Amino acid sequence: MADTAVETGAEASGAGMPQLDLSTFPNQIFWLVVTLVVIYLILSRVALPRIGAVLAERQGTITNDIAAAEELKARAKEAEAAYDKALVDARAEAGKIVDEAKAEMQAELDAQMQKAEAEIAAQTAESQAAIAEIEAGASEAIKAVAKDTAKEIVAALGGKADARSVTAAVNARMKG
Amino acid sequence: MAETTQSAEGGLSFHPLDQFEVYRLFGEGPVHWYTITNVTLWMAIAVLCIVLLLVMGTRKRAVVPNRTQSIAETLYGFIYTMVEDVTGKDGVKYFPYIFTLFIFILMSNFLGLLPMAFTTTSHIAVTAVLALAVFIAVTVIGFVKNGVSFLGLFWVSSAPLALRPILAVIEGISYFVRPVSHSIRLAGNVMAGHAVLKVFAGFAQVGLLIAPFAIFGVIAIYALEVLVAAIQAYVFTILTCVYLKDALHPSH
């Protein structure tokens, strides 16, 4: 058996294809089956589950990262909206404060004006009273001077001046 | 090997088929089924490389992969998508078997392209076992999943009734020829490429005039063979998927 195997092997290597040398077939088939079983066991027990897990994990990580990115984007949008709102509010507040300040100033101004006008009016009235007093004083003095002058004139003319009639005459003249 | 170098020095008598020789690694004697041969060695190297690539390479389980892990993941994704697309969701449970076939053929083809290497997939004994394993598995799965209705694969119900028996014969022949074409396609491509490489390499030592062309030829054929190594692994795998699809969904 051993000898025939050697002979056929030698023949095949001398001429023809080694692929058709049937004596090596059992050897090749045996080692092929061993190899395939070993590869299958390694792959199905270790390599393929591991690679599958890594790929699944990566897919999960990517999905999570995308979700997180979406969330962050939404939050950023929210923050932007809040910022915009705050800005609008601040503007409105500022406008309100300006209006209030204006109104306050206006009110104060109005009050001051009124006060000033009242003061002016009071002063005017006072002045007018003083003028009237002066005027009254002046007409009294004129009256007295006129009476005295009239008495003197009447006396100088030789008449006897009645004080009452002189006063009446002066008063009548003054009115006219 | 000493004989071949001697005869090569003698002139044009080179032996492009010597590289396919199966020989024992230790001692003298016949090649028994358990003998440790160059087949054993190169299959062991293939297993080692597969372990390095798919087990050691993915050791870190990194979410952001390094190069080796990227290659392992790409191969996984490529075959997984192929199985899912061709055979459908219910074919996914056969993915480890299909991936075993694919990675063994791919690794053997590439290792065989190393200088001085022995190419296990260039032997019809190896590819025939692979193809027969697929053929038997697919046939068994077909009958287990579908029962007798699996025979509907041969009975083309969309054809006119008169034609159906003839079509059944043709379909039957094509079904049983599958393992033959499946195995010879792979072994033939790989063997032819390696033999042509050796022929060009033989011409390279003939003379200074021919050597440059021969060396250019070796480079060109080598590049082609790198392509063929990947494509044949792909073709074998996708045909396995197509056959599996027939078994799972026999209706045309």
Side-chain angles (χ1 to χ4, degrees):
Chain A
M1 182 66 205
D3 291 336
T4 52
V6 174
E7 274 169 29
T8 48
E11 266 173 33
S13 69
M17 290 162 62
Q19 275 87 347
L20 301 179
D21 178 6
L22 289 176
S23 71
T24 64
F25 273 33
N27 182 270
Q28 294 193 58
I29 291 167
F30 169 68
W31 288 113
L32 173 67
V33 170
V34 170
T35 305
L36 288 180
V37 168
V38 169
I39 293 174
Y40 173 73
L41 289 178
I42 291 168
L43 290 186
S44 63
R45 295 286 156 85
V46 186
L48 296 182
R50 186 187 289 176
I51 296 171
V54 169
L55 290 178
E57 193 191 332
R58 178 165 318 138
Q59 197 54 49
T61 310
I62 289 168
T63 313
N64 285 346
D65 283 359
I66 287 172
E70 291 281 343
E71 204 195 307
L72 286 175
K73 199 174 155 194
R75 258 198 256 165
K77 265 202 182 142
E78 229 166 73
E80 202 191 332
Y83 169 77
D84 281 349
K85 193 171 169 287
L87 208 64
V88 169
D89 284 358
R91 283 220 180 100
E93 188 80 4
K96 221 161 83 184
I97 288 169
V98 167
D99 285 352
E100 259 170 35
K102 263 191 196 160
E104 210 169 278
M105 276 159 74
Q106 193 62 47
E108 202 166 311
L109 198 67
D110 287 354
Q112 295 276 10
M113 289 281 276
Q114 270 178 0
K115 207 173 146 197
E117 270 170 15
E119 255 168 45
I120 289 164
Q123 271 183 358
T124 311
E126 212 170 281
S127 306
Q128 274 173 350
I131 290 165
E133 204 171 290
I134 289 163
E135 267 179 359
S139 65
E140 282 294 309
I142 290 165
K143 244 186 240 176
V145 170
K147 266 187 246 173
D148 285 351
T149 312
K151 269 183 200 164
E152 290 296 319
I153 291 165
V154 169
L157 289 177
K160 200 161 176 264
D162 185 4
R164 204 172 290 167
S165 53
V166 170
T167 308
V170 169
N171 281 348
R173 278 286 188 176
M174 286 284 281
K175 273 183 188 154
Chain B
M1 295 313 270
E3 286 170 10
T4 49
T5 46
Q6 272 172 13
S7 53
E9 278 165 7
L12 266 173
S13 62
F14 38 80
H15 301 284
L17 297 180
D18 279 0
Q19 58 178 325
F20 303 119
E21 202 93 37
V22 175
Y23 55 89
R24 40 189 311 156
L25 288 180
F26 306 106
E28 294 290 320
V31 173
H32 295 293
W33 61 268
Y34 53 82
T35 313
I36 294 178
T37 57
N38 51 349
V39 177
T40 321
L41 174 69
W42 285 98
M43 283 185 182
I45 292 173
V47 171
L48 186 72
C49 289
I50 290 166
V51 169
L52 282 177
L53 175 63
L54 296 181
V55 178
M56 304 313 274
T58 59
R59 203 177 56 237
K60 286 183 205 151
R61 301 158 197 259
V63 173
V64 180
N66 58 15
R67 283 183 204 177
T68 326
Q69 195 184 322
S70 273
I71 295 169
E73 283 172 7
T74 309
L75 290 173
Y76 180 101
F78 180 62
I79 300 302
Y80 194 91
T81 321
M82 187 202 286
V83 173
E84 207 175 26
D85 287 352
V86 177
T87 65
K89 285 271 175 214
D90 44 354
V92 165
K93 65 177 169 191
Y94 304 106
F95 166 67
Y97 301 97
I98 292 168
F99 195 77
T100 301
L101 290 177
F102 171 74
I103 199 75
F104 171 73
I105 295 169
L106 185 75
M107 206 51 93
S108 300
N109 285 354
F110 277 138
L111 285 173
L113 282 172
L114 293 175
M116 310 302 292
F118 173 79
T119 320
T120 49
T121 40
S122 68
H123 273 263
I124 194 73
V126 169
T127 58
V129 169
L130 295 174
L132 273 174
V134 170
F135 178 77
I136 293 166
V138 160
T139 309
V140 168
I141 290 168
F143 277 113
V144 167
K145 291 270 169 187
N146 306 293
V148 186
S149 65
F150 179 57
L151 292 172
L153 187 63
F154 306 107
W155 197 252
V156 188
S157 49
S158 58
L161 192 61
L163 277 178
R164 280 183 207 172
I166 304 165
L167 282 175
V169 172
I170 295 170
E171 289 281 339
I173 291 170
S174 84
Y175 188 81
F176 284 100
V177 166
R178 274 176 183 184
V180 179
S181 64
H182 205 189
S183 59
I184 289 178
R185 182 182 301 112
L186 175 59
N189 270 287
V190 174
M191 197 206 103
H194 282 69
V196 170
L197 268 181
K198 267 281 147 71
V199 170
F200 272 96
F203 275 116
Q205 55 191 342
V206 168
L208 273 177
L209 216 62
I210 304 172
F213 297 103
I215 290 168
F216 178 78
V218 168
I219 294 167
I221 297 290
Y222 193 91
L224 182 70
E225 281 311 293
V226 172
L227 202 66
V228 166
I231 288 174
Q232 286 307 318
Y234 170 75
V235 166
F236 193 96
T237 315
I238 200 160
L239 282 175
T240 305
C241 291
V242 169
Y243 298 161
L244 186 59
K245 190 212 83 183
D246 280 349
L248 295 174
H249 317 282
S251 54
H252 275 272

